[in-house]
Amino acid sequence: AQSVTQLGSHVSVSEGALVLLRCNYSSSVPPYLFWYVQYPNQGLQLLLKYTSAATLVKGINGFEAEFKKSETSFHLTKPSAHMSDAAEYFCAVMTQGGSEKLVFGKGTKLTVNP
Amino acid sequence: GAGVSQTPSNKVTEKGKYVELRCDPISGHTALYWYRQSLGQGPEFLIYFQGTGAADDSGLPNDRFFAVRPEGSVSTLKIQRTERGDSAVYLCASSAIRGRSDTQYFGPGTRLTVL
């Protein structure tokens, strides 16, 4: 069964600092991987996705993530945090060739301090 | 164009009652998904439709939960004999075509509270 582990339920950074949100997956076959962001009282919005093309994926709002098969990781980064990045971030996995359901991690709440 | 919409945005009911939650997907999207998000957790898959048929209902927790999509557009999630443990935000998503990496676009959710 596939699963996702997000290390750190809360991450706090200063404005302008590097953002690093960790995601590790478990899947018996090569997966598709996604990062979603959820702002307060809003729906989930896709930031980026990995679909077996380039291992470094660039998304919206300056975020990017790198698929590392050897580490079964798909960490999300942004070089310089902005106050507007404060939100909850979810990593999700979908098995290639299997059901189209997304399996989500528990989420990481990002706080950006001025 | 319009995104995924869900009604009602909030629903408060009493234990044992029946509820229906509605999802209007993005126009033309053939796939529709239901997820449930409990407090402090990530969304949990319930069921997804390809057209009118349920392609995977493995996430429905028990037979009190049922979903339909009779015309391949709007979907209704139905919960019978609600329990306090059913309290959660119910999310709906849709995607354009049957492609496993297609983006799922989420609605704002329905917050269900069972008293």
Side-chain angles (χ1 to χ4, degrees):
Chain A
Q2 51 193 342
S3 64
V4 172
T5 301
Q6 292 185 241
L7 295 176
S9 58
H10 290 83
V11 170
S12 181
V13 300
S14 298
E15 190 173 20
L18 171 71
V19 175
L20 170 60
L21 304 182
R22 299 179 186 273
C23 173
N24 288 86
Y25 68 90
S26 172
S27 178
S28 56
V29 297
Y32 296 124
L33 293 158
F34 305 78
W35 275 99
Y36 279 85
V37 61
Q38 188 173 39
Y39 298 101
N41 300 316
Q42 294 188 28
L44 290 158
Q45 180 183 6
L46 181 71
L47 277 177
L48 49 80
K49 61 183 178 183
Y50 167 75
T51 57
S52 306
T55 56
L56 181 62
V57 182
K58 295 187 183 296
I60 62 171
N61 302 337
F63 284 94
E64 63 181 37
E66 186 172 7
F67 171 69
K68 292 187 177 180
K69 183 178 179 181
S70 61
E71 298 178 7
T72 61
S73 69
F74 191 57
H75 302 330
L76 182 70
T77 60
K78 182 174 181 178
S80 176
H82 192 273
M83 297 295 289
S84 61
D85 295 327
E88 187 146 26
Y89 292 79
F90 293 93
C91 182
V93 63
M94 180 191 292
T95 299
Q96 291 191 42
S99 169
E100 294 178 28
K101 65 184 181 186
L102 289 169
V103 175
F104 286 88
K106 292 187 175 182
T108 297
K109 185 173 182 180
L110 176 67
T111 301
V112 182
N113 302 306
Chain B
V4 178
S5 61
Q6 294 186 244
T7 53
S9 55
N10 282 282
K11 176 70 177 178
V12 179
T13 191
E14 293 180 344
K15 180 176 178 296
K17 299 290 188 182
Y18 168 82
V19 297
E20 290 189 352
L21 311 179
R22 177 187 168 106
C23 172
D24 282 84
I26 294 171
S27 179
H29 279 193
T30 59
L32 184 147
Y33 311 79
W34 284 100
Y35 295 84
R36 177 170 71 172
Q37 186 174 18
S38 300
L39 194 62
Q41 302 293 317
E44 177 186 23
F45 170 78
L46 295 176
I47 183 171
Y48 94 87
F49 292 87
Q50 187 60 239
T52 60
D56 183 351
D57 64 358
S58 63
L60 295 177
N62 52 59
D63 61 6
R64 295 187 298 107
F65 289 74
F66 189 72
V68 296
R69 195 186 186 200
E71 298 179 356
S73 178
V74 170
S75 176
T76 305
L77 179 65
K78 308 180 181 191
I79 311 174
Q80 299 177 322
R81 305 184 302 280
T82 53
E83 300 177 355
R84 293 192 178 89
D86 299 335
S87 296
V89 176
Y90 289 80
L91 300 170
C92 178
S94 69
S95 65
I97 60 173
R98 187 172 187 177
R100 292 182 175 81
S101 64
D102 286 339
T103 298
Q104 295 184 21
Y105 295 89
F106 283 79
T110 293
R111 182 176 299 278
L112 175 66
T113 303
V114 182
L115 301 176

